[in-house]
C-alpha cells in the first residue's frame, strides 16, 4: 500500500486502506444479494494545523469516510489512527476517551441541535459529559466560546429555533470546539447556507483552526469553497481516491481526467475569462456493481484497454502529488489511446 503522508508537523489522523461495504438484502427472508462498495480502500493523513479538503460528486462516499473516522460506522477493513492510536477496533467503552479528541460539524446544524436545550446547555453538554472542569470553569469556557464565534453572552439563554441558519452553524462550531479536540470533521458545513453567510462561517473556521492548531477534514462538493479553506485536496470517485495533492498544484496542474472535469465546472468571477468546460458523458458508476478496472473508465475521454481491466494504484508522480490513472504510469508505459 502506498502511504499518503502530509509533510510538516505530526500527523493527527492516519487513514489506511479503509473500506466500508454495506450489505444489500432483498425478499421476505432478507437474503443478501450484494454489497454497496461505499468506501473501497481510502488512505490519507492529516497533520496538526492542516486542512484536507475531500471532494467528489454526491454518492462518492466522502461523508461515509468522515463517519468511519469518527467511528460512527464500523469499518469493513482498514485502520484509522488518531494521534498514533489505532481506534479501528476499539469497543464503545474503549473509544470513549478518544472521542474528546475528534468532533464533527454537521451539514444541517438544526437537526444536530437538541431543540429542548438552550444554546449554553448545548455547548456545555460535551464538557459535562467528559467532566472537563467544575461548573464555574465550564460556564467560563462556554462564555469564551460564545464570544469567540461572535455571540453575546445573552445568546446562551436562547434556543436553537431562535437562531438563523448561519448562527446555528456557528453554535455547532462552538460545541465542536468545547472539549478542545485535535481533529474536526466538517461535513458540508456551509452547503445549506446563503453565499454571504458561507463566507462568514468559512472564515471563522479558518481563524479558529489557526488559533487552536486543529487538524480539519473539510468534506464538500464545492471546489470553490474547498480551494479557499484547504491546504491539500483529495478527490474521490465511487469510493476511491483518484488524486491528492496541495491545493495550488491541484488547480494549476490536475492529472486525473475526473479532476480536470470537476475543475472546469468551477465558475470564474471574471466575465472576461472564457473557460472551456469538460463535459463528462454517461452516468456515475453504481457502487453496488462498480465497473472492473478503473471506475472512471466508463466516462473517461482517454480510456485505454488497460483501464477496463486494471485498477490503477494511487502513485506519486512528484513530491506530495499522487494520482490513480494509467495515463500517468511512472513505469513509462503508455498504450495508444482509444476514444
Amino acid at each position: 500500500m502506498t502511504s499518503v503522508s502530509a509533510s510538516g508537523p505530526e500527523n493527527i489522523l492516519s487513514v489506511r486502506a479503509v473500506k466500508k461495504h454495506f450489505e444489500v438484502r432483498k425478499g421476505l427472508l432478507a437474503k443478501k444479494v450484494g454489497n454497496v462498495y461505499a468506501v473501497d480502500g481510502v488512505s490519507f493523513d492529516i497533520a496538526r494545523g492542516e486542512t484536507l479538503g475531500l471532494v467528489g460528486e454526491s454518492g462518492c462516499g466522502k461523508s461515509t469516510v468522515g463517519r468511519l473516522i469518527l467511528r460512527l460506522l464500523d469499518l469493513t477493513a482498514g485502520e484509522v489512527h488518531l494521534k498514533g492510536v489505532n481506534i479501528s477496533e476499539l469497543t464503545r467503552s474503549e473509544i470513549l476517551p478518544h472521542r474528546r479528541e475528534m468532533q464533527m460539524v454537521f451539514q444541517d446544524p438544526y437537526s444536530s441541535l437538541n431543540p429542548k436545550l438552550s444554546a449554553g446547555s448545548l455547548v456545555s453538554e460535551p464538557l459535562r459529559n467528559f467532566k472537563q472542569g467544575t461548573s464555574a470553569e465550564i460556564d467560563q469556557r462556554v462564555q469564551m466560546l460564545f464570544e469567540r464565534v461572535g455571540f453575546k453572552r445573552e445568546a446562551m439563554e436562547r434556543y436553537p429555533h431562535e437562531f438563523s441558519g448561519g448562527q446555528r452553524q456557528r453554535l455547532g462550531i462552538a460545541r465542536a470546539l468545547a472539549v478542545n479536540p485535535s481533529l474536526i470533521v466538517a461535513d458540508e458545513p456551509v452547503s445549506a447556507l446563503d453565499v454571504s453567510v458561507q463566507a462568514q462561517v468559512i472564515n471563522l473556521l479558518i481563524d479558529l483552526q489557526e488559533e487552536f492548531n486543529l487538524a480539519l477534514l473539510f468534506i464538500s462538493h464545492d471546489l470553490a469553497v474547498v480551494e479557499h479553506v484547504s491546504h491539500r485536496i483529495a478527490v474521490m470517485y465511487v469510493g476511491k481516491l483518484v488524486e491528492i495533492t496541495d491545493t495550488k498544484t491541484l488547480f494549476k496542474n490536475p492529472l486525473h481526467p475526473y479532476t480536470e472535469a470537476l475543475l472546469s465546472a468551477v465558475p470564474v468571477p471574471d466575465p472576461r475569462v472564457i473557460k472551456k468546460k469538460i463535459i463528462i458523458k454517461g452516468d456515475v458508476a453504481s457502487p453496488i456493481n462498480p465497473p472492473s478496472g478503473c471506475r472512471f473508465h466508463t466516462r473517461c475521454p482517454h480510456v485505454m484497454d488497460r483501464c477496463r481491466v486494471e485498477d490503477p494504484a494511487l502513485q506519486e508522480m512528484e513530491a506530495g502529488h499522487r494520482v490513480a490513472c494509467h495515463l500517468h504510469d511512472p513505469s513509462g508505459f503508455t498504450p495508444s489511446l482509444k476514444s
Side-chain angles (χ1 to χ4, degrees):
M1 180 191 65
T2 304
S3 174
V4 184
S5 299
S7 60
E10 64 171 309
N11 289 328
I12 294 297
L13 179 71
S14 294
V15 176
R16 291 290 174 265
V18 162
K19 297 183 179 182
K20 181 58 182 180
H21 302 164
F22 296 97
E23 292 184 352
V24 178
R25 296 182 178 273
K26 290 185 178 180
L28 292 174
L29 300 177
K31 182 179 179 182
K32 181 182 174 181
V33 295
N35 288 306
V36 176
Y37 298 92
V39 178
D40 207 19
V42 168
S43 301
F44 58 81
D45 295 334
I46 306 180
R48 185 182 296 278
E50 180 189 32
T51 298
L52 176 69
L54 186 59
V55 301
E57 293 173 280
S58 296
C60 71
K62 55 189 185 296
S63 292
T64 304
V65 170
R67 282 159 171 76
L68 290 171
I69 289 169
L70 295 169
R71 285 295 311 275
L72 299 177
L73 295 171
D74 291 329
L75 283 68
T76 301
E79 295 180 350
V80 175
H81 295 257
L82 181 69
K83 297 180 76 171
V85 178
N86 185 358
I87 64 171
S88 311
E89 298 179 354
L90 298 182
T91 63
R92 270 190 173 186
S93 58
E94 289 172 337
I95 202 172
L96 189 60
H98 301 281
R99 289 206 180 279
R100 190 188 69 79
E101 294 286 348
M102 48 184 182
Q103 296 293 310
M104 189 166 192
V105 177
F106 294 90
Q107 178 178 359
D108 182 2
Y110 191 60
S111 63
S112 66
L113 301 174
N114 188 336
K116 296 180 180 180
L117 295 180
S118 66
S121 297
L122 285 166
V123 176
S124 67
E125 188 177 31
L127 289 164
R128 300 185 195 282
N129 287 343
F130 288 104
K131 298 179 174 60
Q132 298 291 299
T134 64
S135 293
E137 290 170 338
I138 289 174
D139 289 343
Q140 186 177 8
R141 170 79 174 170
V142 171
Q143 184 178 349
M144 182 275 290
L145 288 167
F146 266 70
E147 291 173 355
R148 191 61 195 83
V149 299
F151 288 132
K152 294 181 180 179
R153 183 183 177 88
E154 298 79 59
M156 294 169 61
E157 306 302 323
R158 292 158 58 187
Y159 287 81
H161 71 273
E162 299 179 84
F163 293 90
S164 67
Q167 288 174 329
R168 284 196 288 260
Q169 195 58 286
R170 284 192 278 149
L171 184 59
I173 292 171
R175 186 178 60 171
L177 290 171
V179 290
N180 196 25
S182 300
L183 168 71
I184 286 184
V185 175
D187 186 7
E188 300 275 13
V190 297
S191 63
L193 305 176
D194 293 336
V195 175
S196 59
V197 181
Q198 283 186 9
Q200 295 173 16
V201 173
I202 290 169
N203 290 332
L204 175 63
L205 274 172
I206 294 172
D207 291 343
L208 292 173
Q209 183 196 34
E210 293 177 355
E211 181 178 338
F212 295 99
N213 203 22
L214 298 166
L216 177 63
L217 176 63
F218 191 93
I219 300 169
S220 179
H221 65 277
D222 191 332
L223 272 163
V225 171
V226 171
E227 179 186 17
H228 181 64
V229 76
S230 304
H231 298 99
R232 292 187 302 138
I233 298 176
V235 182
M236 277 191 78
Y237 184 77
V238 193
K240 287 182 174 287
L241 287 187
V242 297
E243 188 163 1
I244 182 169
T245 186
D246 66 272
T247 301
K248 185 178 179 179
T249 300
L250 189 85
F251 276 78
K252 286 187 66 177
N253 184 34
L255 296 181
H256 199 281
Y258 178 62
T259 308
E260 291 178 343
L262 287 180
L263 292 175
S264 75
V266 177
V268 178
D270 188 348
R272 295 169 296 181
V273 176
I274 300 174
K275 192 174 184 180
K276 182 181 178 181
K277 289 189 177 182
I278 301 172
I279 307 300
I280 305 177
K281 297 180 180 179
D283 297 324
V284 179
S286 170
I288 298 177
N289 186 26
S292 59
C294 174
R295 294 188 178 182
F296 187 62
H297 86 256
T298 57
R299 307 173 73 193
C300 183
H302 308 297
V303 63
M304 305 176 286
D305 290 337
R306 183 183 183 188
C307 304
R308 298 184 175 95
V309 295
E310 184 181 339
D311 188 12
L314 193 67
Q315 300 187 70
E316 191 166 54
M317 298 297 107
E318 54 188 39
H321 194 168
R322 292 172 168 81
V323 64
C325 182
H326 294 309
L327 285 172
H328 305 281
D329 192 326
S331 68
F333 172 66
T334 306
S336 60
L337 302 184
K338 291 188 176 182
S339 59

